[in-house]
Amino acid sequence: MSTTIPTEETQNPMLATTLALFDTAFERLELDEGIAEIMRQTELEMTVTVPIATDDGRIVTFRGYRVQHSSARGPSKGGIRYHPDVNIEEVRALAMLMTLKCAAVNLPFGGAKGGISVDPSQLSMHELERLTRRFAKMIAPILGGKRDIPAPDMNTNEQTMAWLMDELSSHRGYFSPEITTGKPVILGGSKGRTEATGRGVAIATVEMLHKLGMSPEGAKVVVQGYGNVGFYAANILHDEYGAQIIAISDVTGGLYNANGLDLPEINAHVKRARVLESYNGDAEHITNAELLELPCDVLAPCAIENQITEHNADKIRARVIVEGANGPTTFEADQILQERGITVVPDILANAGGVIVSYFEWVQDLQFYFWEVEEVREKLSRRMRSSFAHAYEAAQERELDMRSAVYLLAVDRVAQAIQKRGFVTL
Ligand code: NAD
């Protein structure tokens, strides 16, 4: 177990962006320097080497991480991702974003994140299960329903959470569904969790369009990333709000039709073929870079981090950007977008729907009493709308952009918790 201090010299753009945004919020709040220093660091970091036996009998090892940034406002909460690029700095940045996200929508959680540096497409189902169980065993000492609660993230899903929950329950000797969220409904998962992040992105989009005097009906929307977040965001905006989805993409490239894509047909194709590149319906094939620069009302980056940078920010032709992914915009790009008058609904607000329903799942697990999907959707919608309204008011009052306003609110809540708890007694 090691604790290391993140520094400004980081090479990781997402960590650099997060720390820079933290610093701006600290200055605006005129926050005590010591409290700011606590928030610039992570509480606990664990790096593990995870060995597994492959199906053909070899032993291979992977590097895994769990970082808890803050537990000031409650148990730390955050996803686990499987991706070859996972590294300690990325996990730190994502843990910090989780602290801020939970505070931004006023959940009683702190922030954490975890991951394994692995390409899961190269592993069989059995190998993935062995990897997840071994990782769970190694990080078990710092997890727990009242301590640190994982959830799915990139390339992990409800099956991953089921293995993790089973492993940790075995460790404790009794069924403990509150240890993870994003589980299958049959194991104490919440109805409405799978769609929750995308639904939250859709709600944030509609709220922002209304504030700008625009209607979601017929709005031209571009979605980068057609995975969990992007799929539900696009389909809910299309089906429930009448938006026109003019472009979507996945890692293999994008599809574009200025008059609106045929989503039901594309969804049927994706179900069969898994990827967009082999779709040969009524759409032009474009690259992810081209997709980001399409003229549209709303651009929703829902794939990975660092997509809008100083190299393409001046070419973005969207009226509004709604960040479904974590950290899709770099600090430099954010300044350019602000100068160009492009409104950004920041990640820690726009994609908070997932952690909001994770919170509902945790509450249901602790009570062993489960809600219908309508109740989950209604509560999610209420929480997203009130959080949006609060952030929007703060932005108007202080004449700030939405990101700065949300950071201010979130940092203030965490700082108050640190102070009131007396982390540092003089
Ligand atoms: P996912 O793996 O289900 O989907 C990711 C999508 O992005 C896929 O369509 C994939 O093909 C595409 N993609 C991957 N690499 C790409 C690249 N280089 N260029 C373009 N597209 C690429 O993941 P997800 O759960 O939808 O998460 C997406 C983002 O949203 C991540 O930043 C994640 O941290 C964030 N997020 C997810 C949740 C959640 O509940 N799933 C909650 C909050 C934030």
Side-chain angles (χ1 to χ4, degrees):
M1 222 177 281
S2 69
T3 48
T4 341
I5 300 168
T7 67
E8 277 136 326
E9 292 97 55
T10 174
Q11 296 301 305
N12 183 289
M14 194 171 24
L15 185 56
T17 298
T18 309
L19 289 172
L21 288 165
F22 257 131
D23 285 343
T24 314
F26 297 153
E27 268 169 42
R28 287 201 173 108
L29 289 165
E30 294 177 17
L31 201 67
D32 178 279
E33 258 176 45
I35 303 287
E37 198 46 38
I38 293 175
M39 290 175 69
R40 294 183 99 262
Q41 301 184 30
T42 54
E43 271 180 20
L44 178 65
E45 299 188 348
M46 195 170 186
T47 299
V48 292
T49 302
V50 193
I52 62 158
T54 58
D55 291 346
D56 58 8
R58 288 173 299 121
I59 294 173
V60 290
T61 58
F62 299 92
R63 188 51 64 96
Y65 309 92
R66 185 71 184 172
V67 172
Q68 296 167 1
H69 170 248
S70 172
S71 61
R73 303 182 75 254
S76 47
K77 181 89 192 80
I80 288 181
R81 65 168 57 174
Y82 290 172
H83 194 279
D85 295 342
V86 166
N87 61 70
I88 188 68
E89 293 215 308
E90 178 184 274
V91 180
R92 273 180 198 144
L94 290 164
M96 289 177 177
L97 287 175
M98 282 307 297
T99 301
L100 295 175
K101 192 181 301 184
C102 293
V105 293
N106 213 2
L107 301 178
F109 287 140
K113 203 79 180 189
I116 302 180
S117 176
V118 58
D119 179 356
S121 68
Q122 300 302 308
L123 298 187
S124 71
M125 198 70 165
H126 281 120
E127 289 167 338
L128 271 178
E129 178 171 355
R130 287 197 285 274
L131 180 71
T132 304
R133 288 184 182 279
R134 186 73 206 162
F135 182 51
K137 277 195 185 83
M138 298 180 88
I139 62 172
I142 62 167
L143 299 183
K146 296 201 171 138
R147 188 165 184 192
D148 180 4
I149 309 151
D153 193 73
M154 217 186 282
N155 296 324
T156 56
N157 52 32
E158 58 176 40
Q159 179 59 72
T160 324
M161 292 305 113
W163 291 328
L164 205 65
M165 190 275 282
D166 178 64
E167 200 59 46
L168 296 168
S169 288
S170 310
H171 198 82
R172 281 164 177 75
Y174 49 89
F175 180 59
S176 309
E178 77 287 357
I179 284 176
T180 67
T181 61
K183 300 177 297 293
V185 170
I186 200 161
L187 291 176
S190 178
K191 289 180 179 159
R193 172 62 183 88
T194 310
E195 64 174 35
T197 309
R199 181 168 289 280
V201 170
I203 293 169
T205 303
V206 171
E207 292 299 295
M208 196 69 246
L209 287 175
H210 283 156
K211 292 290 182 201
L212 294 170
M214 296 162 74
S215 167
E217 176 108 33
K220 289 190 182 295
V221 178
V222 170
V223 178
Q224 186 197 32
Y226 207 53
N228 176 275
V229 180
F231 173 85
Y232 285 105
N235 281 275
I236 291 169
L237 279 168
H238 177 266
D239 298 349
E240 298 181 26
Y241 297 98
Q244 220 179 24
I245 310 300
I246 61 165
I248 58 171
S249 70
D250 66 12
V251 70
T252 66
L255 301 175
Y256 172 51
N257 183 331
N259 299 315
L261 294 166
D262 185 342
L263 286 191
E265 194 184 273
I266 294 173
N267 294 344
H269 169 84
V270 170
K271 213 168 178 186
R272 277 193 313 272
R274 316 299 309 163
V275 290
L276 296 173
E277 71 179 343
S278 49
Y279 178 73
N280 55 16
D282 188 14
E284 189 187 326
H285 285 261
I286 56 172
T287 64
N288 266 288
E290 287 165 343
L291 172 132
L292 293 171
E293 296 170 14
L294 288 172
C296 59
D297 296 309
V298 179
L299 169 63
C302 299
I304 53 166
E305 55 273 10
N306 306 326
Q307 292 304 290
I308 304 174
T309 66
E310 73 262 43
H311 304 299
N312 62 0
D314 58 344
K315 301 194 194 90
I316 303 287
R317 286 184 286 167
R319 174 70 189 86
V320 182
I321 295 175
V322 184
E323 296 182 334
N326 285 315
T329 311
T330 63
F331 188 70
E332 296 75 19
D334 204 36
Q335 311 300 309
I336 299 170
L337 296 173
Q338 275 183 51
E339 279 159 24
R340 295 189 53 221
I342 296 175
T343 303
V344 179
V345 186
D347 48 6
I348 59 171
L349 176 62
N351 71 29
V355 74
I356 291 173
V357 177
S358 273
Y359 165 59
F360 297 158
E361 179 174 336
W362 181 71
V363 168
Q364 292 170 76
D365 287 339
L366 289 171
Q367 300 178 341
F368 279 90
Y369 179 71
F370 296 92
W371 313 339
E372 290 308 320
V373 71
E374 292 77 18
E375 188 175 351
V376 173
R377 284 180 183 157
E378 203 269 319
K379 285 187 158 78
L380 167 64
S381 173
R382 211 164 344 127
R383 179 70 68 127
M384 279 301 297
R385 283 176 218 276
S386 63
S387 303
F388 181 93
H390 199 169
Y392 187 80
E393 263 166 44
Q396 298 295 97
E397 248 169 50
R398 290 189 167 244
E399 295 181 7
L400 292 173
D401 60 289
M402 283 290 278
R403 192 190 308 278
S404 302
V406 179
Y407 264 72
L408 211 64
L409 284 177
V411 167
D412 191 36
R413 282 182 181 147
V414 180
Q416 280 192 47
I418 292 172
Q419 271 160 335
K420 293 240 155 63
R421 281 183 63 163
F423 272 19
V424 189
T425 308
L426 300 175

